[in-house]
Amino acid sequence: MINRKREPTPMLERKRMIREICLATSLTIAMTAQTRSPVAPTPEMVRATVMEAHEKFKGDTSGKNADYIPYLAKVPSNLFGIAGMTTDGRTFTAGDVDYSFSIQSISKVFTLALAMEQLGPEEVFKKIGCEPTGRPFNAVMAVEDLPSRTGNPFVNAGAIATTSLIKGPAAAARWESILAFYSRVAGAKLSLIDEVYKSEAATNAHNRGIAVLLESYGRMYSDPLQATDVYTKQCSVGVTAKQLAMMGTTLANHGRNPQTGEQVIRRENVPHILAAMMMAGLYDGSGGWAWHVGLPAKSGVGGGLLAIVPGKGSIVGFAPPLDKAGNSVKAQRAIEYICDKLGLDLFSPRSVGLN
Ligand code: GLN
């Protein structure tokens, strides 16, 4: 029997040290490669592109403010801001990024997230569904036609039903937990813009009608009129483009707020939320958006548009004038420009992500 165990000679010791150094070096390279892609755009490029997009589209006067909610018709049409934020906390801004506007339908993303926290994704999927409606966001005909009635969490029917799922016991508690949850996602105390809420509550008969119709089909999960009121409140929450970028980056960061470090949304729920955004985030503009931009996004009639670059960050555009589908014209153009220039389209072989 040969004893293969040998006392370390200086030669063997040197070899062992070299092996260890090689291992440590390759580990460092691998770790660096995870966060810093050698082909991703540099922060300077991102900053310049955000400025360029703002410059290029600020004079665009196409589209029209929403006016079915009287307050929104009065918001200055020339407001225009772009805010990008990376999961490692860098921000890139241009224009009106500190103006507080109503989050409107972008709230639907975060109420969906809260419903999933409370009930789990499969229960929410069963109760709401996730199919395109091919109709405007507040279409009653979609409720009549679709087997699920609710459609998906981002049309008004599905969104009001999602709000009705949030744990009570009563409407006031439901509203409080929604607002508290949004604030945790944003890492900042958010609040209601009271004027928006009053203006919308006085004119939301159509949404109340949708809620009662859903109840007739057994697809409302608490009192329909109270749920519509809580939904109207959630739509009236004020956010700046910068705050919304932080909310988006929490999603991009697998549910963990990059500033507070809190895991607000369960990691495993995030892909479902992004899938719904990809499929229906811009209503019947969603197909064109997926075709041209290729990022999950959500719009609101307040003029906000939030796009997510999974794992990397988010981009927010804010400009009140909307197209026919109810999506901000300038915000769409600016984000499309930025994504194209930086190669962010998830489906493109050019897709490199943000550094
Ligand atoms: N609060 C608005 C409504 O219910 C939200 C619509 C939207 O932003 N698309 O009509």
Side-chain angles (χ1 to χ4, degrees):
M1 191 74 180
I2 302 164
N3 183 0
R4 291 198 182 276
K5 275 203 175 144
R6 286 179 290 181
E7 283 300 306
T9 64
M11 184 62 177
L12 277 175
E13 186 56 15
R14 236 195 351 260
K15 276 189 179 165
R16 189 190 61 77
M17 276 171 62
I18 289 170
R19 256 202 321 274
E20 265 176 23
I21 290 168
C22 287
L23 186 69
T25 314
S26 57
L27 266 180
T28 314
I29 291 170
M31 281 163 67
T32 314
Q34 251 178 21
T35 51
R36 298 263 178 270
S37 155
V39 290
T42 60
E44 292 68 37
M45 276 171 72
V46 179
R47 187 161 293 114
T49 308
V50 167
M51 299 301 287
E52 262 167 49
H54 189 267
E55 202 47 42
K56 197 169 162 61
F57 299 110
K58 71 175 185 213
D60 190 328
T61 53
S62 33
K64 197 168 150 295
N65 282 33
D67 56 9
Y68 72 100
I69 300 170
Y71 177 98
L72 295 182
K74 293 188 311 205
V75 175
S77 301
N78 59 352
L79 286 168
F80 181 33
I82 307 172
M85 183 181 283
T86 57
T87 47
D88 59 4
R90 275 172 295 178
T91 49
F92 305 92
T93 59
D96 303 305
V97 292
D98 291 311
Y99 179 90
S100 185
F101 57 95
S102 57
I103 188 170
Q104 295 295 341
S105 277
I106 306 169
S107 68
K108 295 167 179 172
V109 172
F110 302 102
T111 300
L112 171 67
L114 178 58
M116 283 190 194
E117 290 299 306
Q118 296 185 345
L119 302 167
E122 281 320 302
E123 193 60 18
V124 174
F125 183 73
K126 247 189 2 230
K127 292 203 148 76
I128 307 296
C130 193
E131 300 304 335
T133 67
R135 306 255 192 184
F137 62 81
N138 55 0
V140 173
M141 286 315 291
V143 180
E144 289 298 313
D145 283 351
L146 294 169
S148 72
R149 309 294 179 190
T150 36
N152 65 64
F154 298 152
V155 289
N156 287 9
I160 300 169
T162 306
T163 301
S164 81
L165 280 174
I166 301 303
K167 292 211 165 106
R174 220 166 262 132
W175 160 237
E176 270 163 34
S177 61
I178 287 174
L179 185 62
F181 183 73
Y182 290 7
S183 297
R184 284 166 58 213
V185 176
K189 196 177 162 346
L190 300 181
S191 49
L192 187 78
I193 307 179
D194 205 46
E195 259 191 280
V196 177
Y197 167 63
K198 288 205 175 96
S199 177
E200 190 164 343
T203 52
N204 69 352
H206 191 87
N207 282 343
R208 280 180 265 146
I210 289 175
V212 174
L213 186 60
L214 285 176
E215 191 191 30
S216 78
Y217 289 121
R219 298 291 280 177
M220 255 297 142
Y221 306 104
S222 57
D223 179 84
L225 297 183
Q226 284 181 5
T228 310
D229 187 54
V230 174
Y231 163 83
T232 306
K233 284 191 173 127
Q234 77 177 45
C235 289
S236 310
V237 167
V239 283
T240 66
K242 277 202 279 200
Q243 287 172 327
L244 195 54
M246 179 65 87
M247 294 177 87
T249 302
T250 298
L251 269 178
N253 197 32
H254 317 292
R256 183 187 295 278
N257 180 296
Q259 201 166 58
T260 63
E262 188 191 357
Q263 186 76 43
V264 193
I265 301 169
R266 271 193 200 96
R267 200 181 165 89
E268 59 272 27
N269 293 351
V270 173
H272 302 298
I273 300 167
L274 299 184
M277 291 172 82
M278 195 79 227
M279 201 275 309
L282 280 83
Y283 312 110
D284 31 3
S286 302
W289 176 262
W291 185 289
H292 293 113
V293 185
L295 288 179
K298 184 74 203 82
S299 64
V301 289
L305 177 62
L306 165 67
I308 310 294
V309 191
K312 307 294 195 299
S314 75
I315 311 169
V316 170
F318 161 62
L322 311 178
D323 65 13
K324 291 236 154 51
N327 302 314
S328 168
V329 177
K330 281 206 280 268
Q332 286 180 84
R333 293 192 177 146
I335 296 177
E336 178 173 356
Y337 178 83
I338 293 167
C339 292
D340 186 50
K341 195 100 194 254
L342 301 181
L344 301 178
D345 183 329
L346 290 181
F347 305 117
S348 166
R350 233 162 49 80
S351 182
V352 290
L354 291 169
N355 222 345

